[in-house]
Amino acid sequence: MTVSQPAYRGIRAHMTSVDQATDTAPETKLKRNITGPLLYLFILGDVLGAGIYALMGVLAGDVGGVLWAPLLLALFLALLTAGSYAELVTKYPEAGGAAVFAERAFGRPIVSFLVGFCMLAAGVTSAAGLALAFAGDYLTTFIDVPAVPAAIVFLALIGCLNARGISESVKSNVVMTVIELTGLLIVVIAVAVMVGGGRGDVGRVTEFPDGATPGLAVLSGAIVAYYSFVGFETSANVAEEIRNPGKVYPTALFGALITAGVLYALVGLASAIALPADRLAESSGPLLDVVSAAGVGVPDWAFSAIALVAVANGALLTMIMASRLTYGMAEHRLLPAVLGRVLPNRRTPWAAIVATTVVAMLLSLVGDLSTLAETVVLLLLFVFIATNVAVLVLRRDTVAHPHFRVWTAIPVLGVASCVLLLTQQTATVWLFAAIMLAVGAVLYLAARFTSRVRGTSTVDASEDTRRGEP
């Protein structure tokens, strides 16, 4: 993911129709090999899996058996911001994500840095949470070890794989997505069989915790549930490789999110029917407990293996993204240049990999998956606010190819939804996010100081990169 790219020059015509059969997106250096079905599976694979496998128990503590409600609310909120991504990605299909959109819209390096660093901080925090999920009940099916040390070892292994040169193509992602999808379908089908046999308690799906206010409980749960939908924003990074992105990207994006949302709601219903909320809330491997309670003969080891694959794949992809983003920001003098060092043979950004892995390890010491998940959401909400505002600011910028155009009310509602979710975050989560942004500010100032000493600036560095100069 790059942090700065040139604005498009030349003649621009305001064209928003996406009903053309030919691919009229700008030419790029990369080959446009990603078809609609592959993009759909890529996004679905990014969204599915890790969050829902780990967080159903946390949700049960907030909303009792009404697990489906915050999941559907989170889906609606995610679709609002997805609308803004659909417009910007199809309008600028050679761009590299939210930081680039912010630069185009606001034209200030500090804004691009803050958006990019929020993405980076969210990435390493998410990886820490996934490491704790990996080290929970799913892993103890095979080996009983303390969660935090196991999470640290897991992150070290992820870092080694990352440094070796791990790169997941969209076709290999299909396999991982099928595995993740299979696990969730097992949950739904197992509980359906359970209900058919006269077992389970359907009445639990409308039961809130004692003394809870339903509206506030659902809103609080939506903050956690939102974590299960993040990942769709990373699809902006493959925009240059999508065939006819103006037509393909919106369909794949909305289709993948809706598919995930419907499946999540079904898993939520199944979980509440199979087990009481207090049992779910006590588990770090809630879906394993659900399948076991259904009693349909699925071995614990088989389902745990599926869950571990889902969580491990999510952590690996997240750390690859975080390390490459760190490397890109260092290359553009937005982070200290030392983070841009690469292994001579492997050509992987070893310094960025070490830095992001160590930070993720430190965050895993928190040991609280809920806090880490909510911190990820808080950081991404700032990114999403910037993206939604960028849509409105860039409306006056026209391009010479057809692109998706979202209704103006959608980004406005997107900003409002993000602000609403921000107001529901706890003081602890705000403190975590503030500490990470303060560290980022120090790194940014260090990078600026180093650039001035060397006689360059972040703007100069961006211009050098655009011309292909080191």
Side-chain angles (χ1 to χ4, degrees):
M1 176 177 178
T2 57
V3 178
S4 180
Q5 292 193 13
Y8 290 101
R9 310 284 188 198
I11 300 175
R12 299 176 178 184
H14 185 60
M15 302 174 66
T16 58
S17 171
V18 296
D19 296 324
Q20 297 188 3
T22 58
D23 187 354
T24 54
E27 290 297 323
T28 72
K29 294 180 179 179
L30 301 178
K31 190 172 183 180
R32 295 191 181 275
N33 259 346
I34 301 178
T35 62
L38 283 178
L39 180 63
Y40 167 80
L41 289 171
F42 177 88
I43 298 173
L44 186 62
D46 257 354
V47 174
L48 274 185
I52 200 69
Y53 275 98
L55 292 177
M56 197 59 74
V58 177
L59 272 180
D62 289 330
V63 296
V66 196
L67 296 165
W68 52 271
L71 288 164
L72 290 179
L73 177 58
L75 169 64
F76 172 73
L77 299 178
L79 284 171
L80 293 176
T81 296
S84 294
Y85 271 90
E87 176 164 336
L88 291 175
V89 169
T90 58
K91 189 174 184 179
Y92 307 109
E94 295 184 37
V100 176
F101 302 149
E103 186 195 23
R104 288 181 180 277
F106 312 117
R108 295 187 177 277
I110 183 61
V111 176
S112 295
F113 168 78
L114 288 174
V115 172
F117 192 80
C118 280
M119 283 286 295
L120 171 58
V124 294
T125 306
S126 179
L130 293 176
L132 289 174
F134 185 93
D137 288 346
Y138 296 123
L139 181 63
T140 56
T141 301
F142 300 97
I143 180 173
D144 189 7
V145 291
V148 172
I152 291 175
V153 171
F154 169 74
L155 287 168
L157 293 174
I158 290 293
C160 291
L161 289 172
N162 196 354
R164 184 174 175 80
I166 295 297
S167 60
E168 296 290 337
S169 69
V170 290
K171 291 184 178 179
S172 66
N173 182 69
V174 171
V175 177
M176 306 304 296
T177 302
V178 169
I179 293 174
E180 295 169 358
L181 185 59
T182 299
L184 298 180
L185 289 175
I186 287 174
V187 174
V188 175
I189 294 171
V191 175
V193 173
M194 181 184 190
V195 173
R199 297 178 293 121
D201 185 353
V202 178
R204 282 197 290 257
V205 302
T206 59
E207 294 178 357
F208 285 94
D210 292 338
T213 303
L216 292 178
V218 171
L219 185 58
S220 176
I223 297 174
V224 177
Y226 202 81
Y227 178 70
S228 296
F229 290 95
V230 298
F232 70 86
E233 71 282 351
T234 63
S235 60
N237 297 328
V238 299
E240 295 183 38
E241 299 167 88
I242 302 170
R243 294 180 186 173
N244 200 0
K247 290 185 65 177
V248 166
Y249 185 83
T251 302
L253 176 62
F254 298 135
L257 280 173
I258 291 171
T259 300
V262 171
L263 187 55
Y264 285 170
L266 291 174
V267 170
L269 289 169
S271 299
I273 291 170
L275 289 173
D278 57 349
R279 287 273 306 278
L280 290 170
E282 293 170 356
S283 176
S284 60
L287 298 190
L288 172 61
D289 291 342
V290 169
V291 173
S292 296
V296 292
V298 177
D300 286 353
W301 66 264
F303 189 82
S304 293
I306 292 172
L308 289 176
V309 168
V311 174
N313 185 54
L316 178 59
L317 292 176
T318 298
M319 289 304 289
I320 288 174
M321 179 278 292
S323 61
R324 270 56 177 184
L325 177 54
T326 300
Y327 167 79
M329 293 178 74
E331 285 290 282
H332 288 85
R333 284 32 168 212
L334 294 172
L335 287 175
V338 66
L339 295 173
R341 294 180 179 177
V342 299
L343 290 173
N345 295 326
R346 294 288 178 185
R347 304 290 295 276
T348 51
W350 70 267
I353 291 170
V354 170
T356 52
T357 300
V358 169
V359 172
M361 287 177 173
L362 293 174
L363 288 171
S364 70
L365 296 177
V366 173
D368 184 358
L369 180 59
S370 176
T371 298
L372 292 173
E374 290 180 22
T375 303
V376 171
V377 171
L378 187 148
L379 291 166
L380 286 179
L381 287 174
F382 286 118
V383 176
F384 293 164
I385 287 173
T387 301
N388 283 306
V389 173
V391 169
L392 301 174
V393 173
L394 292 170
R395 279 285 167 86
R396 59 177 177 263
D397 185 27
T398 58
V399 294
H401 61 271
H403 65 85
F404 179 86
R405 183 182 174 106
V406 71
W407 293 329
T408 301
I410 298 301
V412 174
L413 290 173
V415 171
S417 69
C418 292
V419 172
L420 176 63
L421 290 176
L422 284 175
T423 64
Q424 302 302 307
Q425 297 283 6
T426 64
T428 301
V429 172
W430 277 100
L431 178 61
F432 265 81
I435 291 172
M436 283 187 278
L437 290 177
V439 171
V442 171
L443 293 173
Y444 177 74
L445 292 175
R448 294 275 297 201
F449 176 77
T450 303
S451 294
R452 287 175 181 171
V453 169
R454 294 179 177 178
T456 61
S457 68
T458 56
V459 175
D460 295 332
S462 297
E463 291 298 328
D464 289 344
T465 302
R466 292 168 188 166
R467 293 191 297 265
E469 298 173 3

